[in-house]
Amino acid sequence: MRAFRIAEFGAVPQIDTVARPDPGPGEVRVRIAACGLNFADLLMIEGRYQERPALPVTLGMELAGTVEAAGAGVEPGLTDRRVAVFAGTGGLAEAGCFAAERCVPLPDAMPFEDAAAFQVAYGTSHLALDHKARLQPGETLLVLGAAGGVGLTAVEIGKAMGARVIACARGADRLEVARQAGADHLIDSDTDDLREAVTALGGADVVYDPVGGDLFTAAMRACKPDARILVIGFASGDVPQIKANHLLVKNLTVMGLYWGGYLAFRPEVLTDSLATLFGWYAEGRLRPHVSHTLPLERAAEGLELLRTRKATGKVVITMG
């Protein structure tokens, strides 16, 4: 089978032909239909991700497909089920073996492309806004990078939770994508003064930041007293440094969120969140935005779309 892999950190990924794996105890083999790309894939290639997998490694954190074989101790009824899996690695291949407990059954009407685009982006935003920030109806949510993979889901989920949403993104085209996802107010980070624009709208109760850099600083200064700031990632490449006295004066709370980290210490938090989100999808309340769907042989092109921030929503790779 084909697999998109790196042999060493910093190397250019390539498609290799490898043996189709057999599931071990507690595992299933999934015939992969689609895999969502994430900014974390780029960090993993460079060896800068929070976790460094053993090499060589097949890339691809989240996938969707059909269970085609089960190892010892796995419920037989799982075979032939359509599932989504957050695996961390192994998604950019025609098949892979994963822990059965990580398989989430898909709603019948959910296409594999939607499922592959769903878990990390929606899971991150729901866990951040609900579990961490306790976003309340009527509060003002500022979303930075609002047209990106996770930012766009924060706009959508924020509206579903009853917030007034301010979306910040680069350029009119990307802002239009955020508007269609439900944003109430739009700020162009290329031309507008973020602090001034948010302050004019009354300030932010919650900030969702997957970007970092100067936008973090401007957003922090536009917060209301007692606001919560969610640190999601650093797509700008600049990790901001926070002066603690600024937090003290305005009674601000800064919260970090590494979604996948919950698998190690509170996996039920992820499970409950995803169950809620798949329910919302089945009810028609969520509409994943996939800007590019590419075949496996163009996976490198898909990663470049993320690197250059030319994608809106998610980039999905299909196995064909």
Side-chain angles (χ1 to χ4, degrees):
M1 69 174 193
R2 296 179 301 158
F4 188 71
R5 309 197 303 170
I6 54 169
E8 59 184 34
F9 296 118
V12 176
Q14 63 183 27
I15 296 177
D16 294 331
T17 300
V18 299
R20 204 173 189 88
D22 293 319
E27 291 184 337
V28 296
R29 186 174 68 224
V30 177
R31 183 172 67 253
I32 299 171
C35 178
L37 298 186
N38 292 277
F39 190 79
D41 291 312
L42 296 173
L43 298 179
M44 191 172 293
I45 292 169
E46 297 165 2
R48 296 194 295 121
Y49 190 54
Q50 292 97 320
E51 300 172 5
R52 291 167 65 95
L55 298 172
V57 63
T58 298
L59 301 168
M61 305 185 74
E62 56 182 332
L63 61 104
T66 304
V67 176
E68 62 178 14
V74 175
E75 175 192 345
L78 200 55
T79 304
D80 296 327
R81 292 289 297 272
R82 300 171 69 252
V83 297
V85 184
F86 174 71
T89 59
L92 287 169
E94 293 175 323
C97 292
F98 311 102
E101 63 187 13
R102 292 201 180 186
C103 295
V104 181
L106 299 181
D108 291 340
M110 190 178 211
F112 285 127
E113 290 81 1
D114 278 4
F118 198 83
Q119 293 182 93
V120 173
Y122 281 98
T124 295
S125 293
H126 184 255
L127 211 62
L129 297 175
D130 183 62
H131 178 71
K132 297 286 282 189
R134 306 293 184 188
L135 179 68
Q136 299 298 307
E139 288 191 315
T140 297
L141 168 65
L142 169 61
V143 180
L144 307 182
V150 292
L152 197 60
T153 63
V155 172
E156 196 174 0
I157 289 173
K159 285 301 294 182
M161 294 177 67
R164 181 179 70 140
V165 178
I166 303 172
C168 177
R170 300 170 61 184
D173 290 345
R174 298 173 72 81
L175 285 171
E176 175 58 22
V177 173
R179 186 192 67 78
Q180 292 180 15
D184 299 290
H185 303 280
L186 307 175
I187 296 174
D188 190 331
S189 59
D190 278 342
T191 59
D192 297 330
D193 183 305
L194 177 65
R195 179 185 181 186
E196 182 179 286
V198 175
T199 300
L201 291 169
D205 295 293
V206 176
V207 175
Y208 182 99
D209 180 18
V211 179
D214 292 339
L215 288 180
F216 175 92
T217 303
M220 184 174 69
R221 290 176 174 171
C223 281
K224 297 179 184 180
D226 213 24
R228 293 89 76 198
I229 303 172
L230 292 157
V231 177
I232 307 298
F234 312 104
S236 67
D238 183 359
V239 178
Q241 304 302 302
I242 303 168
K243 293 185 177 181
N245 62 313
H246 291 177
L247 306 182
L248 182 151
V249 170
K250 294 183 73 173
N251 288 292
L252 301 180
T253 301
V254 179
M255 308 174 183
L257 179 76
Y258 167 34
W259 182 76
Y262 275 84
L263 286 170
F265 65 95
R266 288 193 67 189
E268 74 281 0
V269 173
L270 289 190
T271 303
D272 291 346
S273 173
L274 286 173
T276 296
L277 290 167
F278 278 117
W280 286 3
Y281 179 92
E283 294 168 4
R285 297 174 64 186
L286 301 177
R287 297 171 297 169
H289 178 80
V290 178
S291 64
H292 297 79
T293 302
L294 303 170
L296 183 61
E297 54 268 24
R298 296 175 64 187
E301 180 182 334
L303 289 171
E304 190 62 21
L305 289 169
L306 298 187
R307 189 190 309 276
T308 57
R309 298 170 70 178
K310 292 181 178 178
T312 57
K314 293 287 286 190
V315 176
V316 171
I317 303 300
T318 57
M319 302 310 134

